[in-house]
Amino acid sequence: MKQGLELINSSVGNFLNNAQYLQLLETAFDVLLQIKNDNTALAEFIEIEDQLALKRIYSAILSLIVEASKFQLDHRTLRSIIRENGLNSTSLDELCDIYSKKETLVRVLLSATRSFDYSHIVSVDWSLHYQIKSNTLDRLDTPIFLVTLKLLPPAALPTLPPSSKAAASPSSLHSPS
């Protein structure tokens, strides 16, 4: 998390202007709240030349938000942790202001999320073949691993009963901000 904060701190003012930083913060929260699609979220930042650096900053912001929500940090505690790690005051204030407005929604949605709809590995079959030589080479000495993963698609997974902690459904979290 410290590396992510350093990346965010070094990018604001150098790589991103304040308007782009605010837009990236809003985009990160919108993706977490499922208002925007993660696949197209960064499309509005097409004018930024270094897309890899942009994705790293975006990832650092998402990680910070999720970790803060995971540990149920309020905006004052988050502000003090971030200040200790050296984020400049303008960036800190903007991040904490948006977090304080949306922290409850993020927590409810993350607590209701059982999975991110990835397939689950249920079985692994593997074998090792050792190739000594081939038709073209006299001596090859190469191990060949054959791995077969059997997956259970997310739709086939058993569903858990709704948690009593989740006071709102994910569809009710979409509020105009």
Side-chain angles (χ1 to χ4, degrees):
M1 191 158 100
K2 185 171 177 130
Q3 289 176 337
L5 286 171
E6 290 171 359
L7 180 64
I8 294 168
N9 194 34
S10 66
S11 66
V12 177
N14 297 328
F15 180 73
L16 296 172
N17 60 39
N18 282 342
Q20 290 171 326
Y21 173 68
L22 273 175
Q23 186 179 7
L24 190 60
L25 285 176
E26 288 290 341
T27 299
F29 276 100
D30 287 350
V31 166
L32 281 175
L33 295 174
Q34 299 176 349
I35 296 170
K36 285 187 179 178
N37 185 349
D38 191 34
N39 297 330
T40 59
L42 297 180
E44 56 200 48
F45 296 96
I46 195 75
E47 73 277 358
I48 295 177
E49 290 180 23
D50 192 356
Q51 289 290 308
L52 182 61
L54 176 68
K55 289 177 183 179
R56 287 181 180 157
I57 297 164
Y58 173 70
S59 174
I61 292 171
L62 284 175
S63 298
L64 179 66
I65 296 167
V66 169
E67 288 297 315
S69 296
K70 176 179 160 185
F71 291 107
Q72 299 180 351
L73 301 178
D74 62 350
H75 66 279
R76 285 177 294 248
T77 308
L78 178 63
R79 183 182 304 271
S80 65
I81 290 171
I82 294 174
R83 186 173 288 137
E84 288 173 9
N85 288 297
L87 193 63
N88 67 44
S89 62
T90 307
S91 303
L92 172 67
D93 291 339
E94 292 164 347
L95 175 63
C96 289
D97 288 345
I98 295 172
Y99 180 78
S100 67
K101 291 176 191 171
K102 299 185 178 186
E103 70 179 304
T104 305
L105 296 174
V106 171
R107 283 186 195 159
V108 168
L109 186 68
L110 289 177
S111 69
T113 303
R114 182 180 65 85
S115 168
F116 287 102
D117 290 335
Y118 296 118
S119 297
H120 290 259
I121 298 172
V122 293
S123 177
V124 178
D125 294 326
W126 65 277
S127 62
L128 170 64
H129 299 275
Y130 194 78
Q131 189 171 6
I132 298 173
K133 64 181 182 176
S134 70
N135 293 340
T136 56
L137 295 174
D138 190 32
R139 187 159 180 100
L140 197 57
D141 289 329
T142 304
I144 300 172
F145 293 94
L146 300 174
V147 179
T148 305
L149 301 176
K150 293 182 185 174
L151 304 175
L152 184 64
L157 294 173
T159 57
L160 296 175
S163 172
S164 59
K165 290 182 182 178
S169 66
S171 60
S172 68
L173 297 177
H174 301 287
S175 62
S177 303

